[in-house]
């Protein structure tokens, strides 16, 4: 199984592209990491921002462990920003049967700060986008492919990723 993280800052198009990819590649699934713990559940569990992230990542690791055992998919895509700590953890998913790959969506910060599609960014999200660019989420160490998706459609971006994966893995 090819485990593919679609990385990038908030509002880079990770989820949109991930959902398109599963339509383009047979035997694939998409996991939205943010949906592993809803905001309502996070509040009910009384988890602050950092604890909520930790719980989502714990649940992601659990899902990956199970999917690695089941081997139901040829491609398993998930959308989540990749820090160095995440990369160090996720690259351990590579073994004789599975390979971890990271594709980074890296639109310009100006593009990420705009409302795109139906999403309207909150002030908190805009501040976090600026932080993420300062922290290098658009160009992380360990990424296998970086795509500047300022001017292409999500479908065009997904097609580039499909081509990259099929040619290289």
């Amino acid at each position: 199984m090819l485990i593919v993280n679609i990385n990038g800052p908030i509002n880079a198009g990770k989820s949109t592209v991930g959902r398109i990819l599963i339509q383009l590649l047979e035997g694939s699934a998409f996991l939205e990491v943010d949906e592993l713990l809803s905001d309502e559940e996070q509040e009910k569990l009384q988890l602050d921002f950092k604890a909520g992230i930790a719980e989502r990542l714990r649940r992601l690791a659990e899902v990956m462990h199970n999917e690695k055992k089941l081997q139901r998919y040829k491609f398993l895509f998930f959308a989540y920003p990749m820090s160095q700590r995440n990369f160090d953890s996720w690259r351990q998913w590579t073994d004789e049967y599975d390979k971890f790959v990271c594709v980074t969506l890296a639109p310009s910060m100006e593009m990420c700060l705009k409302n795109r599609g139906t999403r309207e960014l909150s002030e908190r999200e805009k501040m976090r986008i600026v932080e993420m660019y300062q922290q290098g989420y658009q160009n992380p160490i360990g990424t296998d492919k970086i795509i500047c998706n300022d001017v292409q459609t999500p479908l065009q971006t997904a097609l580039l990723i499909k081509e990259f994966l099929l040619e290289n893995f």
Side-chain angles (χ1 to χ4, degrees):
M1 175 171 59
L2 200 58
I3 302 167
V4 183
N5 174 34
I6 304 171
N7 172 56
I10 293 170
N11 207 32
K14 300 179 297 292
S15 298
T16 301
V17 169
R19 288 186 179 98
I20 293 170
L21 279 163
I22 63 170
Q23 296 173 25
L24 298 176
L25 289 162
E26 191 175 322
S28 64
F30 174 70
L31 178 62
E32 176 60 73
V33 177
D34 284 339
E35 292 176 4
L36 293 176
L37 176 71
S38 69
D39 292 339
E40 293 79 20
E41 185 181 7
Q42 181 173 334
E43 188 176 309
K44 185 177 179 180
L45 294 171
Q46 298 179 341
L47 301 175
D48 64 17
F49 179 74
K50 286 187 178 185
I53 289 172
E55 179 60 17
R56 283 177 181 89
L57 294 177
R58 186 196 68 73
R59 291 179 183 191
L60 173 64
E62 187 176 280
V63 168
M64 286 302 167
H65 176 76
N66 290 333
E67 290 301 335
K68 284 172 66 64
K69 277 197 242 180
L70 295 171
Q71 290 293 312
R72 295 187 296 177
Y73 305 108
K74 185 174 179 182
F75 301 94
L76 182 53
F77 297 97
F78 71 98
Y80 205 73
M82 184 179 77
S83 66
Q84 187 62 48
R85 175 188 257 175
N86 293 347
F87 174 73
D88 291 342
S89 175
W90 298 341
R91 72 177 170 187
Q92 295 176 24
W93 293 337
T94 294
D95 57 27
E96 63 183 292
Y97 304 106
D98 306 304
K99 177 150 179 67
F100 171 72
V101 176
C102 180
V103 175
T104 297
L105 302 184
S108 65
M109 184 169 57
E110 294 76 23
M111 187 62 74
C112 270
L113 289 169
K114 292 180 181 179
N115 292 328
R116 295 166 34 152
T118 59
R119 183 175 191 165
E120 189 161 328
L121 295 168
S122 67
E123 287 306 310
R124 180 175 171 222
E125 286 175 314
K126 289 177 183 178
M127 289 185 334
R128 182 64 183 131
I129 288 168
V130 171
E131 286 176 7
M132 292 178 94
Y133 273 84
Q134 291 168 346
Q135 295 167 346
Y137 280 85
Q138 75 284 5
N139 187 23
I141 294 170
T143 195
D144 296 287
K145 176 84 171 163
I146 297 175
I147 299 172
C148 177
N149 57 327
D150 272 359
V151 296
Q152 64 223 31
T153 66
L155 175 59
Q156 290 169 322
T157 302
L159 288 168
L160 286 173
I161 294 169
K162 175 186 174 185
E163 180 182 341
F164 169 73
L165 296 175
L166 294 178
E167 287 179 1
N168 293 283
F169 302 99

